[in-house]
Amino acid sequence: MSEILISPGRVTGETRVQGAKNSVLPVMAAALLVRGEVVLRGCPALADVDSAVHILRHLGCAVRREADTLCIDASGISDYAIPDDLMRRMRSSVIFLGAILARTGQARMTYPGGCELGPRPIDMHLDALRRLGAHIDEEGGRIFARAESLRGAEIPLRFPSVGATENALIAACAAEGTTTIRNAAREPEIADLVRFLRAVGCRVTGENTAVLTVEGGMPSHGTQYRVIADRIAAGTYLCAAAATGGSVLLHDVETAHLATLCGALTEAGCEIGMEERRISLRAPEKLRAPGMIVTRPYPGFPTDLQAPLMAALLRIDGSAVFDETIFRDRYRHAAELAKMGADIVCEGSRAIVCGVPALHGARVTATDLRGGAALVIAALSAGGDSVIAEAEHIDRGYEDITGVFARLGVRVQRIGGT
Ligand code: UD1
């Protein structure tokens, strides 16, 4: 169990933003299709990326890490099962399902099951793979998928699930014939995966739209590829500056990917400047309430920034309303924030934040990755030191969080565990 100690302070300074965790993971899965070396740049040093490396090595791939570069060679793949402990470590390991199946003709793993954000069904992932010709048995929490060959198909998704779109896309690249994924997710990480797939010789079109078309056939060669910047990490640092009356300049960001968050922070009174791959924010002493924040699939407000923005708004004049439409149980941070003096009422998908004059330091527990980031933000804007337990949740998504915040002028210190 790891703990971090946070001393309040204004988040002020400059930093570059890490590569996107949610791009690196599906691209690592897609690298399984490639018979040749994939050199992947911009890979953040994160527990989830380490878990994905373990999965690839377990499957028989050669993986080397040099600084932020991963060299992956899947030529020698020799296994098709992901061990239970690796599935437990990273529930999004299900992203490997389509790739393993496509490459080896079978795949075995445990069901990701319920998690911190509520139930995490994978029915759309399985439906997509079945449409591509896979036989899938589910028994006692285990999934066994097999297919002698995959064939192109029409895949209509009932909701634009990010993970289901990724699984369908990767498997379709190895299928024979044409696949059309309708109501596909339009998150920037999907477009990043499509660009990677094209770089290794796959024929995919339609990124950034709701219809993806894949002309099947295994990828033909290795490549060198750099993943996009992590919009959620960038958004978290902007929220931290907003919460503390600070001022930041972030380098290496894709500014367009942060449009909805920047809209909300501007309404709240922050001054935001964007120029090519850089974003600056200057926050007032006290934020105002923005209009209602409704989480939606991209280009809507990202569910992953709901908790960080909520943490930034705890001391506003008036009240702010959130509507979480993506995940059913994504307000677990609210009870922890209340331990610091926040006034939040949760009712179904809604949460109402009534601004309080001040927060106080407290001992709190990270409930999940982004909820944990929200606790860091609130602690930085509180009146005394805080300790966050189970900080390993936060390490799953934020590279070198102590170093980044040190560059931004505040102290986030590790006091226990790894
Ligand atoms: C990805 C991101 C996560 C982000 C989420 C939504 C990664 C590694 N994770 O998660 O950070 O919060 O997108 O932007 O990229 N659903 C089903 N059946 C399915 C699949 C999903 O009902 O087969 C539901 C989920 O329960 C949830 C909603 O669809 O309510 C969205 O989930 P999805 O877009 O699939 O999220 P993930 O890919 O798991």
Side-chain angles (χ1 to χ4, degrees):
M1 291 295 134
S2 113
E3 292 189 343
I4 50 179
L5 169 67
I6 294 175
S7 309
R10 275 185 209 280
V11 172
T12 297
E14 297 185 25
T15 189
R16 60 164 285 279
V17 173
Q18 69 190 54
K21 168 179 88 79
N22 289 353
S23 275
V24 174
L25 300 178
V27 168
M28 288 174 78
L32 278 174
L33 300 184
V34 183
R35 286 183 174 83
E37 192 176 54
V38 168
V39 178
L40 205 52
R41 303 195 196 284
C43 302
L46 296 173
D48 276 9
V49 176
D50 292 343
S51 299
V53 168
H54 277 109
I55 290 174
L56 290 176
R57 288 198 176 126
H58 174 87
L59 296 172
C61 305
V63 187
R64 252 179 320 119
R65 181 161 197 141
E66 285 160 18
D68 78 342
T69 300
L70 281 175
C71 302
I72 303 168
D73 186 342
S75 313
I77 187 165
S78 54
D79 202 339
Y80 58 88
I82 299 185
D84 295 0
D85 65 311
L86 289 174
M87 282 304 290
R88 270 195 300 276
R89 232 188 274 174
M90 185 175 68
R91 285 187 172 85
S92 53
S93 306
V94 72
I95 211 64
F96 283 84
L97 184 61
I100 300 174
L101 174 71
R103 180 66 198 277
T104 70
Q106 51 193 339
R108 195 188 285 276
M109 60 181 60
T110 49
Y111 200 77
C115 92
E116 316 116 344
L117 311 182
R120 216 140 185 196
I122 54 164
D123 55 303
M124 284 186 273
H125 300 238
L126 302 186
D127 178 65
L129 297 176
R130 284 188 174 115
R131 283 171 189 267
L132 290 167
H135 300 275
I136 302 177
D137 294 322
E138 296 168 81
E139 217 183 277
R142 289 180 179 278
I143 302 163
F144 179 45
R146 60 194 190 287
E148 265 166 37
S149 64
L150 297 171
R151 54 178 189 282
E154 277 282 319
I155 303 179
L157 297 177
R158 76 178 143 73
F159 178 87
S161 154
V162 174
T165 301
E166 290 164 347
N167 248 326
L169 195 52
I170 294 170
C173 282
E176 275 169 40
T178 307
T179 295
T180 309
I181 306 171
R182 298 191 192 277
N183 199 21
R186 288 181 286 160
E187 268 64 7
E189 294 77 18
I190 301 283
D192 208 18
L193 175 61
V194 168
R195 281 189 295 268
F196 169 77
L197 288 167
R198 275 206 293 261
V200 292
C202 299
R203 290 166 297 167
V204 189
T205 53
E207 71 271 29
N208 302 314
T209 78
V211 182
L212 292 166
T213 306
V214 183
E215 299 296 334
M218 277 286 189
S220 41
H221 50 74
T223 193
Q224 299 205 6
Y225 190 78
R226 176 174 287 279
V227 297
I228 55 171
D230 196 310
R231 63 196 166 101
I232 308 302
T236 301
Y237 300 131
L238 293 178
C239 288
T244 57
S247 169
V248 287
L249 175 61
L250 303 181
H251 297 269
D252 294 345
V253 271
E254 319 280 343
T255 54
H257 298 167
L258 285 155
T260 49
L261 175 72
C262 288
L265 290 172
T266 303
E267 276 182 61
C270 297
E271 272 174 45
I272 294 182
M274 288 185 182
E275 51 185 273
E276 212 188 328
R277 298 189 57 76
R278 284 203 298 191
I279 191 161
S280 63
L281 177 144
R282 181 184 296 275
E285 274 308 309
K286 206 164 177 57
L287 298 175
R288 307 187 285 266
M292 184 153 91
I293 310 295
V294 184
T295 65
R296 297 247 189 247
Y298 193 84
F301 189 92
T303 172
D304 284 356
L305 286 173
Q306 174 257 108
L309 179 61
M310 184 181 289
L313 298 177
L314 299 174
R315 294 182 302 125
I316 47 172
D317 278 326
S319 53
V321 182
F322 287 78
D323 191 3
E324 170 58 65
T325 75
I326 309 288
F327 288 106
R328 233 206 288 156
D329 188 14
R330 205 165 195 181
Y331 287 135
R332 290 178 60 193
H333 47 280
E336 297 301 308
L337 292 170
K339 294 179 185 166
M340 295 184 199
D343 181 352
I344 305 166
V345 178
C346 300
E347 286 170 0
S349 71
R350 295 272 171 105
I352 298 153
V353 177
C354 291
V356 292
L359 298 170
H360 50 79
R363 189 182 165 82
V364 290
T365 303
T367 53
D368 61 271
L369 166 54
R370 307 302 170 188
L375 299 181
V376 174
I377 293 169
L380 287 167
S381 67
D385 288 358
S386 295
V387 171
I388 303 180
E390 298 191 23
E392 59 274 10
H393 285 297
I394 304 170
D395 294 328
R396 288 186 32 239
Y398 297 91
E399 181 178 43
D400 184 23
I401 193 164
T402 53
V404 170
F405 276 116
R407 283 193 287 286
L408 297 178
V410 289
R411 276 178 52 160
V412 171
Q413 272 176 281
R414 233 163 256 287
I415 53 174
T418 52

